[in-house]
């Protein structure tokens, strides 16, 4: 990390929301100029295997935009063609321009960020990217606003298929309000697919009030158990873990302040589904055909669906939840049994079969989505 980009370490007691917003805007608008100025590795995407089709889209994003990228994960759900996407805390627009190529000219991506300097960078390269992508009209819009005030910023209720966020919700004091606003803007059958930082315990006040640790996405990290509580209180299905990686900090001075706090960057998906009654036994078949997932679809960390053209393998598991897949991936999945209401039960087994297609039932298994924290 670049030691020249030092920030005032002085802690303040119980900072209010307005003060936190001001500090975050200063950190990301003035202190950080590129990702090299970060003082920890919390806001760095792990070097995991990125699918080829996503690597190709990232090659088309301008280097001035990518150099200001401070994400901790890969927020690219499946089947994005023609979707309406909302990017919470879009920053300089890297993920927006990546997603722009995946939704195509008939889709649209809206990015919102409260740091004006970041939004200005994103807007500067709008014409460049539309020309690069070969689009006749822009399919990206950038808004200067707060993600806990989406309605105030102009986001319409039930207007988005997908919301994404990359290491931003931790920067907001009121996480519940953010999720509530997102829930309202999503269509039924939509999802929030997001990467963020989580702590292994309730973050102490001295860490919360540490300006650098908050700016580095650690001070405002949510205790991992609270995510499921907040999400289900609002109406989302229980969170489904996609990936998780330990954050090693790599800054001795800040590590001494953190003490026993440990952090992970994790990607979750939260589905907004109709509440129509008790779940019943259901069955789903992945028929293939989703771009980048032609042979298999990794639904989350526990379940993978494989496409087998000639051999049908049925795994005799009872339970529910695959209506999530039905709503998200139609017409690539088909439901073979009635489901009154999808109850998402994160599990511990991965559904696998040799060859190229699977016929599978999802079991309700003990929730262990955050066991690695």
């Amino acid at each position: 990390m670049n030691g020249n980009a030092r920030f005032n370490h002085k802690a303040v007691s119980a900072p209010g929301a307005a003060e936190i917003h001001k500090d975050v805007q200063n950190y990301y608008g003035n202190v950080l100029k590129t990702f090299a100025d970060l003082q920890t590795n919390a806001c760095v995407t792990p070097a995991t295997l990125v699918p080829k089709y996503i690597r190709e889209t990232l090659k088309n994003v301008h280097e001035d935009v990518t150099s200001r990228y401070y994400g901790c994960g890969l927020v690219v759900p499946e089947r994005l063609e023609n979707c309406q996407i909302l990017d919470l805390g879009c920053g300089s627009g890297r993920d927006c321009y990546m997603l722009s190529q995946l939704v195509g000219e008939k889709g649209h991506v809206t990015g919102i960020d409260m740091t004006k300097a970041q939004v200005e960078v994103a807007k500067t390269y709008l014409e460049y990217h539309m020309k690069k992508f070969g689009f006749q009209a822009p399919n990206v819009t950038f808004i200067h606003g707060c993600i806990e005030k989406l309605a105030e910023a102009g986001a319409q209720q039930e207007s988005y298929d997908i919301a994404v966020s990359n290491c931003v919700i931790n920067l907001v004091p009121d996480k519940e309000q953010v999720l509530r606003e997102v829930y309202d803007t999503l269509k039924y059958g939509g999802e929030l697919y997001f990467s963020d930082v989580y702590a292994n315990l309730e973050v102490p006040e001295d860490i919360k009030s540490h300006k650098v640790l908050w700016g580095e996405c650690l001070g405002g990290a949510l205790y991992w158990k609270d995510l499921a509580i907040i999400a289900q209180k609002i109406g989302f299905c229980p969170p489904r873990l996609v990936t998780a990686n330990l954050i090693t900090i790599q800054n001795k001075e800040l590590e001494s302040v953190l003490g026993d706090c440990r952090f992970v960057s994790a990607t979750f998906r939260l589905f907004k589904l109709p509440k129509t009654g008790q779940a019943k036994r259901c069955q789903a078949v992945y028929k293939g055909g989703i771009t980048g997932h032609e042979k298999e679809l990794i639904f989350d960390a526990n379940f993978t669906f494989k496409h087998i053209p000639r051999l049908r393998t049925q795994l005799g598991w009872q339970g529910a939840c695959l209506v999530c897949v039905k709503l998200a991936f139609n017409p690539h999945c088909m439901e073979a049994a009635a489901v009154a209401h999808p109850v998402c039960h994160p599990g511990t087994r991965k559904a696998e079969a040799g060859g190229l297609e699977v016929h599978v039932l999802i079991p309700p298994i003990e929730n262990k989505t955050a066991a690695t924290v």
Side-chain angles (χ1 to χ4, degrees):
M1 305 303 169
N2 187 346
N4 294 325
R6 305 296 289 175
F7 189 75
N8 181 12
H9 278 47
K10 185 176 180 180
V12 293
S13 58
E19 183 178 352
I20 289 174
H21 283 173
K22 183 178 178 180
D23 289 339
V24 170
Q25 289 172 326
N26 180 58
Y27 201 69
Y28 286 87
N30 300 316
V31 177
L32 300 180
K33 299 302 181 183
T34 72
F35 57 78
D37 295 327
L38 291 166
Q39 295 190 44
T40 72
N41 66 350
C43 304
V44 178
T45 301
T48 53
L49 182 63
V50 178
K52 181 180 178 181
Y53 79 101
I54 296 178
R55 293 200 304 271
E56 293 301 317
T57 64
L58 290 173
K59 289 179 182 177
N60 294 327
V61 181
H62 197 284
E63 63 180 0
D64 284 355
V65 172
T66 58
S67 69
R68 293 173 171 83
Y69 167 71
Y70 310 115
C72 63
L74 190 65
V75 290
V76 188
E78 308 81 359
R79 211 214 71 175
L80 299 181
E81 295 89 346
N82 304 327
C83 283
Q84 300 289 314
I85 298 181
L86 176 63
D87 185 358
L88 309 166
C90 64
S92 62
R94 193 206 78 152
D95 285 344
C96 286
Y97 288 126
M98 171 183 62
L99 294 167
S100 164
Q101 300 168 74
L102 299 176
V103 301
E105 287 191 88
K106 293 183 179 180
H108 193 274
V109 181
T110 301
I112 180 171
D113 200 284
M114 71 174 180
T115 303
K116 188 174 183 179
Q118 288 278 68
V119 175
E120 290 303 316
V121 171
K123 289 181 176 179
T124 297
Y125 293 98
L126 181 58
E127 184 177 350
Y128 167 87
H129 286 103
M130 295 304 103
K131 184 177 180 180
K132 182 82 171 178
F133 304 159
F135 293 169
Q136 296 299 311
N139 71 341
V140 181
T141 302
F142 293 105
I143 299 172
H144 179 219
C146 297
I147 63 174
E148 63 269 57
K149 298 179 180 180
L150 294 177
E152 185 178 301
Q156 300 297 311
Q157 288 196 354
E158 299 181 17
S159 59
Y160 293 97
D161 302 295
I162 298 166
V164 300
S165 183
N166 203 335
C167 209
V168 172
I169 295 177
N170 67 82
L171 295 170
V172 178
D174 193 345
K175 277 76 167 169
E176 181 174 333
Q177 181 60 26
V178 173
L179 294 184
R180 193 175 302 280
E181 291 276 323
V182 173
Y183 185 88
D184 289 342
T185 63
L186 284 172
K187 301 174 184 177
Y188 280 99
E191 70 170 306
L192 169 60
Y193 192 105
F194 67 116
S195 298
D196 219 292
V197 175
Y198 297 90
N200 67 329
L201 46 76
E202 292 281 356
V203 177
E205 288 299 322
D206 62 326
I207 295 176
K208 287 182 179 180
S209 60
H210 196 291
K211 293 185 177 183
V212 171
L213 290 175
W214 193 286
E216 293 282 327
C217 301
L218 300 170
L222 193 67
Y223 176 39
W224 65 268
K225 287 186 177 180
D226 289 342
L227 175 62
I229 295 172
I230 295 172
Q232 292 174 85
K233 175 183 177 182
I234 292 168
F236 283 109
C237 290
R240 302 197 69 92
L241 178 67
V242 180
T243 61
N245 297 276
L246 183 66
I247 295 172
T248 55
I249 311 301
Q250 297 181 356
N251 182 313
K252 295 298 183 184
E253 181 182 353
L254 295 179
E255 286 174 16
S256 66
V257 179
L258 291 171
D260 293 331
C261 278
R262 299 292 181 268
F263 301 88
V264 295
S265 61
T267 300
F268 282 96
R269 53 198 320 172
L270 297 176
F271 286 91
K272 176 182 177 178
L273 299 171
K275 299 175 179 61
T276 54
Q278 185 62 36
K280 297 179 181 179
R281 182 185 178 93
C282 72
Q283 191 174 72
V285 178
Y286 178 47
K287 300 190 294 183
I290 297 178
T291 301
H293 306 271
E294 291 80 7
K295 294 185 177 181
E296 68 176 18
L297 188 151
I298 301 175
F299 182 60
D300 60 18
N302 301 305
F303 301 108
T304 295
F305 301 96
K306 295 192 176 184
H307 175 62
I308 307 174
R310 295 182 178 82
L311 174 64
R312 283 187 138 185
T313 302
Q314 178 163 330
L315 305 182
W317 293 348
Q318 295 182 343
C321 164
L322 249 291
V323 71
C324 287
V325 180
K326 175 180 179 290
L327 288 171
F329 304 128
N330 256 342
H332 305 285
C333 292
M334 59 183 179
E335 186 183 8
V339 177
H341 173 60
V343 180
C344 301
H345 292 283
T348 57
R349 292 184 60 186
K350 180 177 289 186
E352 295 185 3
L356 301 174
E357 177 169 335
V358 129
H359 204 155
V360 52
L361 297 174
I362 292 295
I365 304 176
E366 180 183 0
N367 187 342
K368 295 184 179 179
T369 56
T372 57
V373 177

